[in-house]
Amino acid sequence: MITSFAEFLEQLQAKEAELLAAESVQHAPTIGDMYEGLTRELVQRAIPKELNLRLVDGFVIGVDGKHSHQTDAMLVKGDRGRQLPKTDTWEWPIADVLAVFEVKKNLYGNELVDSINKMRTISLQQKERLSENRQVHLGPSNSAFARLLGRSPESGELDDLTSETGELLRTLAHEQLAPVRVVFGYDGYVDEFGLRNGFLDALKKVPDGLAGPTVLPNLIVCRTNTLLKLNGHPYIVPELDDGQWHIFGSTREAPMVLLLELLWTRLSNEFQARFPVDDTLKMEAIAPLLSGKPIVDQDRRGWMFYAKTLTRKQLAEVETQHWTPFEVTLEEHVIFAMAMNHGGLALNDTDLLDAADHYGLDLADFADRLVVARLFSWRSTGLAHRIRPVSLL
């Protein structure tokens, strides 16, 4: 469903963009308005009318009352927004903003820096909002954490300012609750290689630097090439690489699939709504681009970033993968079913131990396999639980 609908949006986008490019208008603001209008039309088609959401342009209002830069489009809920007098521009509180879009006719160096900086401002508004004491449901973030590390968060880990894993969990929680930030470039960098290098150069020029992964956009689209944040909602690379979290990757295919996955995941988490899932076995060919590691000690707290530079030849060799099921024997299937009925796989569960002994299986080895496959995660020593499904509800 996602793939077929995304293909429709991509075809519509290509057709309409071709018509806009043929216009003889030379007035830059008007040209910008045309492409912003096309982007709003594409996004509007992806949002179920039943949710009563609106797509407007204007300003995001932080909890301190300060305005963001003017957005090209923002997806909002509720009725707490205010239309500015004599305009079609709105201001909307950060708590009710679900997605923000920045649209560029031509996306090159300065425009990319500008887009990243604007998204950074909105992310900092969200950080201020979360600094207030509030009760929020972090189930999706806990699942993302489990898929990343193979274990569930410990009690109090979210508020632990002295550990790297606490910083990881707070980052995932921020990404779950913040607006999805998307940058659209209709022209600009001609290929994946150019977009990757342009992004890395732009990071060095963002005013005031980068406070961490949260300030970066979730998705940057230029032509048919895409940069994607792997923040667990829903995309993530399991396991840390020498303590580094794979934060960004690139791909040269199916930008609308990625957009739909990000938007529908955000809406699913917000409204507990049901959305179609991708029923193909195809997995996006994502090349690693940027990784990071939290730095926490007595003198400083922050992030260290590491860039992955690849040649055009290496990028061309990144192939699309296909999902394959986790294979089990009949005996392992029996143990798996018992574990599900028992609420988890406990290595001291006498029934599971007896069944494993009867079938000649090593219960600990089977639990490790389930955790490595990220079907289960360790909730405590000797106790593995199923990870919440990552597909949309």
Side-chain angles (χ1 to χ4, degrees):
M1 173 64 181
I2 286 181
T3 300
S4 59
F5 185 49
E7 289 174 349
F8 162 74
L9 291 180
E10 288 171 2
Q11 292 169 6
L12 176 63
Q13 180 188 32
K15 179 180 178 181
E16 294 296 326
E18 184 178 351
L19 294 175
L20 294 184
E23 289 289 334
S24 60
V25 177
Q26 299 296 315
H27 186 242
T30 301
I31 295 173
D33 289 344
M34 291 192 300
Y35 283 91
E36 291 165 16
L38 171 56
T39 304
R40 284 194 292 270
E41 179 182 345
L42 294 171
V43 174
Q44 194 74 61
R45 289 175 178 269
I47 307 303
K49 295 181 180 179
E50 295 78 6
L51 295 179
N52 294 318
L53 303 181
R54 300 180 63 183
L55 199 62
V56 301
D57 61 45
F59 302 91
V60 180
I61 307 299
V63 293
D64 57 2
K66 294 182 179 179
H67 291 64
S68 70
H69 299 86
Q70 185 167 4
T71 68
D72 293 328
M74 52 185 179
L75 182 65
V76 298
K77 68 175 184 176
D79 57 4
R80 295 197 294 164
R82 184 179 77 92
Q83 188 174 12
L84 299 182
K86 311 301 182 182
T87 74
D88 293 327
T89 303
W90 293 75
E91 56 181 24
W92 220 277
I94 181 68
D96 294 338
V97 179
L98 302 175
V100 175
F101 301 86
E102 179 71 11
V103 181
K104 300 290 187 182
K105 168 64 172 66
N106 294 293
L107 186 63
Y108 287 111
N110 291 336
E111 291 82 3
L112 186 52
V113 173
D114 178 68
S115 298
I116 293 174
N117 188 44
K118 288 179 178 178
M119 296 304 182
R120 171 184 174 275
T121 300
I122 293 170
S123 178
L124 293 177
Q125 288 178 314
Q126 176 68 16
K127 183 178 180 180
E128 288 295 324
R129 176 181 175 239
L130 293 179
S131 66
E132 300 179 347
N133 292 326
R134 60 179 69 246
Q135 295 295 321
V136 293
H137 172 63
L138 294 180
S141 297
N142 292 335
S143 295
F145 185 91
R147 286 186 283 131
L148 178 64
L149 297 181
R151 69 169 178 84
S152 299
E154 298 177 358
S155 176
E157 195 161 10
L158 180 67
D159 299 318
D160 185 358
L161 302 180
T162 65
S163 71
E164 295 180 5
T165 54
E167 182 65 24
L168 284 173
L169 183 56
R170 285 189 295 277
T171 300
L172 294 171
H174 181 285
E175 292 291 328
Q176 173 194 327
L177 300 169
V180 175
R181 286 93 66 205
V182 180
V183 178
F184 260 108
Y186 283 85
D187 290 312
Y189 298 102
V190 297
D191 59 13
E192 182 183 5
F193 178 82
L195 180 58
R196 288 167 59 94
N197 289 339
F199 175 72
L200 294 177
D201 288 340
L203 295 185
K204 304 173 186 177
K205 301 175 183 178
V206 176
D208 300 321
L210 303 178
T214 57
V215 302
L216 296 172
N218 299 87
L219 188 70
I220 301 174
V221 179
C222 185
R223 300 179 188 260
T224 60
N225 304 296
T226 307
L227 304 182
L228 172 69
K229 185 186 285 187
L230 306 169
N231 63 3
H233 305 292
Y235 297 96
I236 202 165
V237 176
E239 297 186 353
L240 299 180
D241 183 5
D242 193 25
Q244 300 174 27
W245 172 21
H246 292 281
I247 298 172
F248 258 87
S250 69
T251 181
R252 56 187 178 277
E253 58 184 28
M256 286 298 172
V257 170
L258 302 181
L259 176 62
L260 291 177
E261 290 276 16
L262 295 183
L263 288 178
W264 289 358
T265 296
R266 182 66 176 84
L267 297 180
S268 175
N269 291 339
E270 182 74 22
F271 299 105
Q272 299 299 302
R274 299 182 64 86
F275 285 83
V277 298
D278 191 354
D279 55 3
T280 71
L281 300 181
K282 182 179 178 181
M283 301 171 65
E284 291 78 8
I286 298 177
L289 173 59
L290 188 71
S291 61
K293 181 178 181 179
I295 304 297
V296 180
D297 59 34
Q298 294 180 345
D299 300 321
R300 57 179 182 163
R301 292 177 59 242
W303 283 79
M304 182 71 73
F305 292 105
Y306 306 85
K308 180 71 171 180
T309 56
L310 298 176
T311 66
R312 284 189 171 89
K313 182 176 183 296
Q314 289 172 319
L315 288 173
E317 293 171 348
V318 178
E319 298 180 348
T320 300
Q321 304 294 317
H322 288 80
W323 177 85
T324 56
F326 179 78
E327 295 184 3
V328 295
T329 65
L330 179 60
E331 293 79 9
E332 288 172 334
H333 176 73
V334 173
I335 300 298
F336 182 88
M338 290 180 63
M340 295 296 290
N341 289 332
H342 287 212
L345 197 159
L347 299 185
N348 62 356
D349 186 311
T350 56
D351 290 338
L352 292 176
L353 287 170
D354 289 344
D357 182 65
H358 174 75
Y359 291 122
L361 300 177
D362 187 309
L363 192 60
D365 286 347
F366 184 50
D368 283 335
R369 283 183 58 210
L370 292 171
V371 171
V372 168
R374 294 300 190 264
L375 297 176
F376 277 44
S377 67
W378 294 111
R379 180 164 295 183
S380 60
T381 302
L383 176 62
H385 270 248
R386 183 177 71 101
I387 297 176
R388 176 180 178 268
V390 301
S391 58
L392 303 185
L393 298 177

